[in-house]
Amino acid sequence: MAKALITYASMSGNTEDIAFIIKDTLQEYELDIDCVEIDDADASCLTSYDYVLIGTYTWGDGDLPYEAEDFFEEVKQLQLNGLKTACFGSGDYSYPKFCEAVNLFNAMLQEAGAAVYQETLKIELAPETDEEDEDVESCRAFARGFLAWADYMNKEKSHVS
């Protein structure tokens, strides 16, 4: 069974809500999923997963939240060797750099050698909990799109080997 890690930084609960919508969607695919706050995530264990999804809110003028800084720096030092990753987060359009921390994680994962899903998920504030909500459907579509992409990447890799 494939293993997935969803780790997130959430101050107001918005990014946590997104993480759990993604988790619920991925569970439809019978994955073994760990969903943990970024403070509790062990960067050195990332390569023991098949898939890693990182969620964060953006602090101030496009900065990483303080609780994500250590994890960011630890992951930056790793060699991720094509690990399938994706980034998501919440933000507020009233700030000049909407969801910039998502972009920072995305770029860092690429530099660390991960295979990064180029579609990022950026939700303004909190996803509405109504099942018909557009944001909830965006979270589900992101999770499904990530898995489809990762599956395609795995098949491409097996054809090359």
Side-chain angles (χ1 to χ4, degrees):
M1 179 181 291
K3 289 183 65 174
L5 171 66
I6 302 170
T7 187
Y8 60 90
S10 188
M11 182 172 62
S12 60
N14 297 344
T15 306
E16 181 178 27
D17 289 347
I18 296 167
F20 278 92
I21 294 167
I22 291 170
K23 179 185 180 196
D24 290 345
T25 304
L26 293 180
Q27 284 179 321
E28 297 169 11
Y29 298 89
E30 299 180 8
L31 298 174
D32 179 11
I33 303 169
D34 292 330
C35 190
V36 298
E37 290 187 42
I38 211 160
D39 281 341
D40 299 325
D42 183 353
S44 67
C45 292
L46 289 189
T47 56
S48 66
Y49 290 93
D50 300 294
Y51 312 114
V52 174
L53 297 98
I54 300 174
T56 185
Y57 65 96
T58 298
W59 185 250
D61 189 23
D63 299 320
L64 292 173
Y66 73 91
E67 66 268 34
E69 290 174 351
D70 288 345
F71 183 77
F72 183 94
E73 291 302 320
E74 290 166 12
V75 173
K76 190 176 179 178
Q77 303 306 313
L78 299 175
Q79 293 298 317
L80 296 178
N81 303 322
L83 177 67
K84 311 302 182 290
T85 63
C87 299
F88 64 93
S90 61
D92 186 338
Y93 277 115
S94 67
Y95 289 91
K97 293 184 178 177
F98 178 72
C99 286
E100 183 62 22
V102 173
N103 299 335
L104 294 173
F105 263 105
N106 208 42
M108 178 274 293
L109 287 168
Q110 287 179 358
E111 290 171 17
V116 181
Y117 184 47
Q118 290 305 300
E119 299 293 324
T120 56
L121 175 66
K122 299 174 181 177
I123 302 289
E124 176 154 25
L125 304 174
E128 296 299 320
T129 53
D130 179 349
E131 289 299 311
E132 303 300 315
D133 181 69
E134 183 180 312
D135 288 341
V136 171
E137 188 47 46
S138 293
C139 294
R140 290 181 181 142
F142 172 78
R144 290 182 188 118
F146 169 70
L147 274 187
W149 167 82
D151 186 48
Y152 173 80
M153 295 296 287
N154 288 336
K155 287 178 182 168
E156 284 294 303
K157 185 177 180 183
S158 68
H159 287 299
V160 172
S161 309

